[in-house]
Amino acid sequence: MMNIDVSAMRLLNRASVLNFIRDHKLTTRIAISEATGLTRATVSSLVETLMEEGFVEEVGYGVSNGGRKPVMLKFNADAAYSIGIDLQISHLTTVVCNIRGDIAYKNVRHLFNSPGNQKVDQESIVASIQMEAKSALEHVPHAPQGIVGIGLALPGLVNFKTGFVYHLPNLAISDWNVHDLLQNQFALPVYIDNDANCGVFAEYQKRHSPKSSIIYVNAGIGVGVGLMLNGQIYRGKDGLAGEFGHMTIKEDGAICRCGNRGCFEQYASEQSLLRYLEELHINIPKSTEKHSVLEQIIYESYLGSDLYAPAFDRLAAFLGIGIANIANALNPDEIVLGGRISMAYKFISDSMTTTFQHRAISRNREIPLVMGYVNGVAIGAAGIAMDEALFASPIAISD
Ligand SMILES: [Zn+2]
């Protein structure tokens, strides 16, 4: 049996009332009481506290059901802010967001790392993250709750629960306790998570559809997948869930960074697009001061070149196959393509969708396959920090 004291019970009730108000555009005390099963007196007292804290506002009267007209309650998305930081190989994107993920401040800082396995300087990465977080703190709008947390999205294998980084392949970093290094620098709680988890959180947050299931395919130098299942990020036992980038889609296929052969990410990533160009004897453009190689390919395609179309088609077909495998396993509401490859969405979406619909079974064929939000990973990192700091159940329920 569960045994919790009165103040813990109040925290738990407060979290469920706050979550309910956040998830509904407008609501009433009666509706909250009916939905949560709490007495009207308890709801009134909790709403009072939440109004004092700036989370809830009264906004006029609703329609009466015979008795007095109910006072309408509205959630204040600007009651608190959080910082989200997305660490990629070449840059850090930092945002300050409100509770709904609207950006109040954004900055992109270039880092001087080149892709590949060359060792990068971990101390300078930490210093850059600190510097970015500190300047973000200076740009937080005035809010009743101020800033409540910092979220950091990392490209690789991380344990959200412990804050430990197992491996970031693109940065050649392993066994890194970056969470503790950062936490020592800030009075605010710091959270770290995998970038695909952050991406899926941002998509979920923007859709205002509690309990929905969204799959976020983060295709860049590698392929990671974020799983939002019934309104919860599914991270697995050690935080390693979603590594669909390493499902085998071709026996004896291209060798992967993980040591296996034929992994999905060897066929659906930025590197694989370059390999297709080589295989098809298409000249690979040089990077320019403004554009990386991938950006140059996309840029020329936008200008009307169809030189790269055959390579885009190969990439799109493999993306369609991999995504159909994931959809057939999980039957989500929606699938989102994010990451650097999504910049080429216009040139791959038709062929990717055709293959996807061919390989998906039954109703999975109808699952929408859409492009991710710009800056989604940074927004999601801020969102996860916000969610943990304000909305997570304050008590881990066990028997
Ligand atoms: Zn692999």
Side-chain angles (χ1 to χ4, degrees):
M1 266 306 285
M2 226 167 39
N3 198 351
I4 48 181
D5 64 23
V6 175
S7 63
M9 183 57 100
R10 186 167 165 90
L11 277 176
L12 196 62
N13 291 342
R14 178 186 179 279
S16 60
V17 171
L18 184 56
N19 276 299
F20 184 84
I21 300 173
R22 178 188 58 168
D23 292 342
H24 293 80
K25 252 190 179 151
L26 286 173
T27 188
T28 62
R29 291 172 176 82
I30 296 169
I32 298 168
S33 166
E34 281 167 2
T36 58
L38 300 170
T39 66
R40 291 194 190 176
T42 303
V43 169
S44 287
S45 147
L46 289 167
V47 166
E48 197 61 39
T49 309
L50 292 171
M51 280 171 47
E52 282 162 19
E53 291 169 345
F55 287 114
V56 180
E57 296 162 347
E58 290 185 333
V59 284
Y61 294 91
V63 182
S64 155
N65 274 341
R68 270 191 304 167
K69 285 184 183 172
V71 177
M72 300 308 291
L73 301 171
K74 183 174 164 278
F75 182 68
N76 176 17
D78 294 322
Y81 287 84
S82 60
I83 294 174
I85 304 175
D86 172 17
L87 170 66
Q88 293 297 322
I89 294 176
S90 56
H91 60 276
L92 269 177
T93 304
T94 304
V95 295
V96 172
C97 292
N98 72 1
I99 302 176
R100 290 215 199 278
D102 304 322
I103 294 181
Y105 163 84
K106 184 189 129 183
N107 191 50
V108 178
R109 179 192 179 90
H110 288 276
L111 301 172
F112 297 99
N113 300 315
S114 56
N117 292 323
Q118 132 198 13
K119 190 89 181 148
V120 294
D121 177 3
Q122 298 179 17
E123 270 174 35
S124 78
I125 293 181
V126 172
S128 300
I129 293 170
Q130 278 172 14
M131 220 182 300
E132 286 304 285
K134 280 181 181 149
S135 49
L137 281 170
E138 289 164 17
H139 291 87
V140 177
H142 183 74
Q145 297 291 320
I147 191 104
V148 297
I150 300 172
L152 173 64
L154 296 169
L157 306 176
V158 307
N159 190 329
F160 171 77
K161 265 193 274 177
T162 61
F164 189 72
V165 173
Y166 301 110
H167 186 49
L168 306 179
N170 304 333
L171 294 159
I173 292 175
S174 292
D175 302 330
W176 192 28
N177 213 336
V178 66
H179 173 268
D180 291 359
L181 292 173
L182 290 170
Q183 189 61 82
N184 290 336
Q185 302 293 320
F186 296 97
L188 297 161
V190 175
Y191 305 91
I192 67 163
D193 209 341
N194 165 269
D195 53 3
N197 289 348
C198 295
V200 83
F201 191 91
E203 299 294 327
Y204 175 75
Q205 193 176 32
K206 294 281 178 196
R207 280 167 179 73
H208 310 300
S209 173
K211 310 279 174 224
S212 61
S213 297
I214 303 171
I215 306 302
Y216 186 88
V217 179
N218 193 31
I221 292 177
V223 176
V225 175
L227 306 172
M228 179 66 76
L229 303 178
N230 299 323
Q232 297 278 336
I233 294 183
Y234 183 76
R235 296 187 176 90
K237 175 172 70 71
D238 302 304
L240 299 175
E243 288 299 325
F244 287 98
H246 300 285
M247 65 180 168
T248 307
I249 58 167
K250 204 167 184 184
E251 193 192 15
D252 290 330
I255 198 146
C256 181
R257 300 178 295 181
C258 71
N260 277 331
R261 279 184 177 277
C263 291
F264 178 40
E265 78 168 30
Q266 291 307 313
Y267 294 87
S269 60
E270 205 171 323
Q271 312 308 85
S272 57
L273 180 70
L274 304 186
R275 197 180 69 239
Y276 298 146
L277 289 171
E278 262 172 40
E279 288 167 4
L280 292 159
H281 306 290
I282 299 169
N283 266 340
I284 298 174
K286 295 237 168 347
S287 60
T288 65
E289 210 156 273
K290 260 170 105 181
H291 297 134
S292 68
V293 174
L294 176 70
E295 287 160 356
Q296 188 62 24
I297 291 169
I298 293 165
Y299 176 66
E300 288 177 26
S301 302
Y302 266 107
L303 291 181
S305 166
D306 53 11
L307 182 64
Y308 308 111
F312 279 138
D313 284 348
R314 267 191 204 184
L315 179 79
F318 275 109
L319 270 168
I321 290 171
I323 291 172
N325 286 341
I326 302 167
N328 286 337
L330 297 168
N331 184 225
D333 295 299
E334 208 167 341
I335 298 161
V336 181
L337 181 67
R340 285 168 59 81
I341 287 293
S342 70
M343 293 189 290
Y345 189 81
K346 182 175 189 287
F347 310 109
I348 57 178
S349 73
D350 285 353
S351 156
M352 174 176 70
T353 305
T354 305
T355 309
F356 166 73
Q357 288 172 346
H358 211 77
R359 305 271 173 157
I361 58 161
S362 184
R363 298 283 297 272
N364 288 334
R365 284 182 205 116
E366 296 152 27
I367 297 170
L369 187 46
V370 303
M371 184 178 154
Y373 284 102
V374 176
N375 301 313
V377 170
I379 295 170
I384 286 173
M386 180 74 76
D387 203 56
E388 287 298 316
L390 290 184
F391 299 98
S393 175
I395 299 153
I397 295 176
S398 56
D399 326 285

